[in-house]
Amino acid sequence: MSSVNDVRIVPRRSNERGHADHGWLKTFHTFSFADYQSLRHQSFSSLRVLNEDRVQARTGFGTHGHQNYEIFSYIISGKLEHKDSMGNTEVLSRGALQMTSTGTGITHSEKAHGGNDVHFCQIWASPRSGQGRGKPAYFTRYFTDEEKKNRLALVVAPDNAEGVTLGRDDSGPAPIRSELWMYASLIHPGASVVHTPSGNGQMKKGYVHVIQKSGYNPGAPKGATLKISGKDRSQVELREGDGAYLTYGPGVELRLENDSQEVVEVLLFDLE
């Protein structure tokens, strides 16, 4: 980090993530999950799981249980069929953000709906202290590609943040019982977006993930290119599937620039 007013960027390369090909499921794990365990990549602040999954048509995860965690899915392509013990049955397509506060415990299933594979990111976050054993809740939000074009659309925010509503199918960001904000963006060739995280003048953490849109690739990262820089303009280059740990100084300005000929789809997390 060049100064306390800048950002430290530590790349997390796509081919260094945990990876498994089960035939019906091709998955990447940014953090320790299932058979992939890494002491260096257990979690980052409240961000505990970031899996990029491709599920084969007419297959999926059978009914299984969760508790304590905030679990949400960001749909990239295809359709995801969700059923849970709270009585929710829904087919989610591109643009959907589905949030479950598992609280005292739920069961659910997630399967590829119809004749096409589904590609999505499943994300887990640790709840705030004292919030992990609350009543389970379910929310769905939808965001068009136009809403994400060359801007950072806020798709998840703390349930106690200003402007966040708690209706099951409301507009605006999905509520989460955690100090986590997630933005989604579609950055077109030659375009850039700038982000200044909110905060109280203290150091903060963040994470950025470039979605692997151009096809399943367990090898060296390729595809669209995203350049990340802070105020000092030193750059880190990411390709599809890559991510980066971020440590922000107060008042930092983070720039995300598409340096390729394809649209880059990116998720950006602000964390306490």
Side-chain angles (χ1 to χ4, degrees), residues 142-153:
Y142 288 91
F143 302 89
T144 66
D145 283 0
E146 188 64 28
E147 289 177 281
K148 294 178 277 189
K149 181 180 178 181
N150 296 331
R151 64 184 294 267
L152 289 161

Side-chain angles (χ1 to χ4, degrees), residues 88-233:
N88 299 294
T89 299
E90 197 161 19
V91 175
L92 306 158
S93 56
R94 177 165 177 80
L97 188 293
Q98 176 268 319
M99 171 72 67
T100 302
S101 293
T102 64
T104 54
I106 58 101
T107 59
H108 70 175
S109 64
E110 295 167 304
K111 298 181 179 181
H113 180 83
N116 296 316
D117 296 356
V118 62
H119 179 198
F120 67 106
C121 287
Q122 185 174 103
I123 303 152
W124 298 16
S126 300
R128 307 180 198 95
S129 177
Q131 296 273 310
R133 301 293 292 172
K135 181 180 178 181
Y138 178 89
F139 308 95
T140 303
R141 300 291 187 265
Y142 288 91
F143 302 89
T144 66
D145 283 0
E146 188 64 28
E147 289 177 281
K148 294 178 277 189
K149 181 180 178 181
N150 296 331
R151 64 184 294 267
L152 289 161
L154 181 62
V155 297
V156 175
D159 60 354
N160 57 4
E162 184 177 355
V164 176
T165 59
L166 303 182
R168 181 189 183 280
D169 300 297
D170 286 352
S171 60
I176 188 169
R177 299 169 185 171
S178 180
E179 294 307 298
L180 178 150
W181 293 255
M182 188 177 93
Y183 301 83
S185 185
L186 295 168
I187 308 175
H188 285 237
S192 62
V193 297
V194 175
H195 179 58
T196 303
S198 60
N200 55 6
Q202 304 299 313
M203 299 297 291
K204 293 188 66 172
K205 294 180 178 180
Y207 193 84
V208 62
H209 175 68
V210 183
I211 291 171
Q212 198 180 73
K213 284 190 68 176
S214 61
Y216 169 69
N217 172 31
K222 56 184 181 180
T225 303
L226 181 75
K227 289 184 175 180
I228 309 178
S229 60
K231 285 183 177 179
D232 66 359
R233 292 293 186 262

Side-chain angles (χ1 to χ4, degrees), residues 12-125:
R12 174 76 162 119
R13 298 301 178 191
S14 178
N15 57 331
E16 296 173 356
R17 295 181 292 176
H19 168 250
D21 183 349
H22 299 290
W24 65 273
L25 168 67
K26 295 178 172 64
T27 181
F28 294 95
H29 310 308
T30 295
F31 305 107
S32 292
F33 191 86
D35 292 335
Y36 172 68
Q37 297 296 315
S38 170
L39 293 176
R40 294 179 56 235
H41 304 287
Q42 291 286 328
S43 61
F44 198 55
S45 189
S46 62
L47 187 58
R48 174 60 189 87
V49 170
L50 174 49
N51 292 345
E52 188 169 353
D53 292 343
R54 287 175 171 83
V55 177
Q56 194 174 70
R58 299 184 179 88
T59 68
F61 304 94
T63 301
H64 58 286
H66 296 283
Q67 59 183 6
N68 298 329
Y69 282 104
E70 305 291 290
I71 297 178
F72 51 108
S73 298
Y74 176 89
I75 313 302
I76 301 159
S77 64
K79 295 182 178 180
L80 182 71
E81 179 183 295
H82 170 95
K83 295 181 179 180
D84 65 41
S85 55
M86 293 179 282
N88 299 294
T89 299
E90 197 161 19
V91 175
L92 306 158
S93 56
R94 177 165 177 80
L97 188 293
Q98 176 268 319
M99 171 72 67
T100 302
S101 293
T102 64
T104 54
I106 58 101
T107 59
H108 70 175
S109 64
E110 295 167 304
K111 298 181 179 181
H113 180 83
N116 296 316
D117 296 356
V118 62
H119 179 198
F120 67 106
C121 287
Q122 185 174 103
I123 303 152
W124 298 16

Side-chain angles (χ1 to χ4, degrees), residues 2-9 194-197 228-235 249-255:
S2 60
S3 77
V4 296
N5 290 319
D6 209 23
V7 57
R8 182 171 182 257
I9 306 168
V194 175
H195 179 58
T196 303
I228 309 178
S229 60
K231 285 183 177 179
D232 66 359
R233 292 293 186 262
S234 60
Q235 292 183 331
V252 73
E253 199 172 79
L254 181 73
R255 180 176 295 273

